[in-house]
Amino acid sequence: MDTGFFIKYYRYFFNGTMMTLAISFLGVIFGSLVGVILSLMKLSNNKLARAFSSAYIEIIRGTPLLVQIYLIYYGLPMILPMDLGRMTLGTIAVLLNSAAYIAEIIRAGIQSIDKGQSEASRSLGMSKSMTMRYVIIPQAVKNILPALGNEFITLVKESAVLSVIGIHDLMYNADTLRGITYRPFIPLIYAAIIYFIITFILSKLLRIFERRLEASDKS
Ligand code: ARG
């Protein structure tokens, strides 16, 4: 393998990797904020809130991320008077997409807690919101956190699609190198290796974290 190539152009890979990580990170963080709201709406007693969040989740998960990125990139500037810049628009597209997946992660996490837990808590005189706060959520978090880690790993890979709107992520920079060096293959191999190293390390770390959570359950 042409390591000289990598050494010569490592800046492209490095900067691209930073951009990929930054957007994925912002994607899960803000996606989680929106996701929490969507999941609460979905679990609420309000029909309208439930319908809205169900529709949102279905539509986002039922259409390609690529289409959503284009719609946000060209659509948002039409309705918003200010210039957001591609980095912000790209992040918004990713976070809005991720929020739908995260909403389902949170809903599933909450619903996975045995009904007996809330029945016991309610029969002890705790209110609905106290039950949620002190009984359900602390247990649900153990299911939710590892799944959010997985979502981050997914975004590291899926965010490669953002290169179509000119965000200088790892994929975009690899493509740029293909253009300026006339080497169509090598930059892609390096990009693939970097993506793999990131996701491999992250999933190992996540596994360790998950084991710790499991262990803390038993103590
Ligand atoms: N590639 C798929 C799509 O284009 C999946 C997107 C996954 N997104 C996520 N946040 N988990 O729709």
Side-chain angles (χ1 to χ4, degrees), residues 128-152:
K128 254 193 177 156
S129 76
M130 278 169 84
T131 300
M132 210 40 166
R133 216 165 343 140
Y134 300 115
V135 180
I136 308 294
I137 300 286
Q139 299 183 75
V141 159
K142 295 193 177 189
N143 302 330
I144 294 170
L145 283 183
L148 286 183
N150 270 328
E151 177 64 15
F152 178 66

Side-chain angles (χ1 to χ4, degrees), residues 63-65 97-98 101 151 154-155 158:
T63 54
L65 176 59
N97 173 276
S98 198
Y101 290 85
E151 177 64 15
T154 302
L155 288 189
E158 295 288 340

Side-chain angles (χ1 to χ4, degrees), residues 28 60-68 93-102 105 150-155 157-159 161:
V28 255
I60 292 289
R61 297 203 306 173
T63 54
L65 176 59
L66 178 61
V67 177
Q68 294 161 15
V94 168
L95 86 86
L96 289 180
N97 173 276
S98 198
Y101 290 85
I102 292 176
I105 289 172
N150 270 328
E151 177 64 15
F152 178 66
I153 294 174
T154 302
L155 288 189
K157 293 178 289 168
E158 295 288 340
S159 62
V161 186

Side-chain angles (χ1 to χ4, degrees), residues 105-142:
I105 289 172
I106 295 172
R107 184 193 54 77
I110 288 175
Q111 287 185 333
S112 73
I113 305 305
D114 195 89
K115 244 183 112 196
Q117 295 278 331
S118 69
E119 286 166 359
S121 157
R122 298 283 282 144
S123 69
L124 287 173
M126 287 204 203
S127 69
K128 254 193 177 156
S129 76
M130 278 169 84
T131 300
M132 210 40 166
R133 216 165 343 140
Y134 300 115
V135 180
I136 308 294
I137 300 286
Q139 299 183 75
V141 159
K142 295 193 177 189

Side-chain angles (χ1 to χ4, degrees), residues 184-198:
F185 193 66
I186 273 285
L188 294 176
I189 287 289
Y190 279 119
I193 291 173
I194 294 170
Y195 276 118
F196 180 73
I197 291 174
I198 296 172

